[in-house]
Amino acid sequence: EPVKMSVNERTFIAVKPDGVHRGLVGKIIARFEERGYKLVALKQLTASKGHLEVHYQDLKEKPFFPGLIDYMASGPIVAMVWQGLDVVKQGRVMLGATNPLASAPGTIRGDFAIQTGRNICHGSDSVDSANREIAHWFKPDEINDYASPFINSWV
Ligand code: RTP
């Protein structure tokens, strides 16, 4: 059976506090824009620990969970929703492996990071996670659907 891919698929991508502090927001946004994805939501916020504990609820038994929550709460995050064909899977490919030392050059982590605990970006790992995470980080009226003259005709 063919894989179902929607041009309206959405994913949650975040620049983590280390990525913001290091001034990498523009570079990360540019990669998604240049690939042909459409930015439909964007905001900067410092997330509460409670908000982050829900975001990372599947990891709460992991030994690194408290450190992960402290890291993610340590400064502003740039939260985004990107839309386009196969964006959940391709977004993960563009981010690179969780451990930057295993990330291929050409990926965001493979080009800009060396530590798992400071891996500068987050991307949803499935369509179901994306839907849950988008609803957790954005109100419906913060997401903008709009026609792009480029996307879906040239890309
Ligand atoms: P993300 O959710 O941030 O995109 O990362 P991921 O799916 O690639 O990795 P996941 O296993 O879900 O872990 C979430 C984040 O936790 C931190 N981590 N630290 N010290 C460690 O062993 C360890 N393992 C994971 C990373 O910041 C990872 O992105």
Side-chain angles (χ1 to χ4, degrees):
E1 184 170 308
V3 177
K4 292 195 183 72
M5 286 190 286
S6 162
V7 294
N8 296 322
E9 187 171 298
R10 288 174 173 173
T11 194
F12 175 67
I13 300 289
V15 185
K16 296 178 176 181
D18 52 332
V20 176
H21 274 96
R22 291 179 54 196
L24 296 171
V25 173
K27 286 195 167 82
I28 292 169
I29 290 175
R31 287 178 181 227
F32 281 86
E33 285 188 328
E34 288 167 356
R35 185 82 191 271
Y37 289 121
K38 182 160 67 171
L39 182 63
V40 297
L42 170 75
K43 64 181 168 187
Q44 186 182 64
L45 75 162
T46 301
S48 69
K49 291 191 180 184
H51 184 83
L52 293 162
E53 284 162 4
V54 173
H55 171 77
Y56 281 127
Q57 60 191 24
D58 296 344
L59 300 175
K60 64 173 181 286
E61 306 303 332
K62 301 280 187 192
F64 59 80
F65 185 75
L68 172 61
I69 299 301
D70 286 348
Y71 156 51
M72 291 293 290
S74 67
I77 287 171
V78 171
M80 300 179 275
V81 181
W82 287 91
Q83 181 172 311
L85 193 65
D86 206 27
V87 71
V88 172
K89 191 173 105 197
Q90 296 307 320
R92 297 278 291 185
V93 172
M94 291 165 69
L95 263 49
T98 304
N99 179 352
L101 295 181
S103 302
T107 65
I108 292 165
R109 290 168 177 156
D111 287 348
F112 301 125
I114 48 176
Q115 282 193 60
T116 302
R118 294 287 183 271
N119 63 359
I120 67 172
C121 50
H122 164 82
S124 307
D125 64 6
S126 67
V127 172
D128 285 349
S129 303
N131 290 335
R132 181 181 74 81
E133 292 172 4
I134 290 166
H136 185 56
W137 289 85
F138 288 95
K139 300 186 202 108
D141 69 2
E142 292 178 313
I143 302 172
N144 306 283
D145 213 351
Y146 60 97
S148 161
F150 307 111
I151 295 167
N152 304 343
S153 56
W154 290 103
V155 179

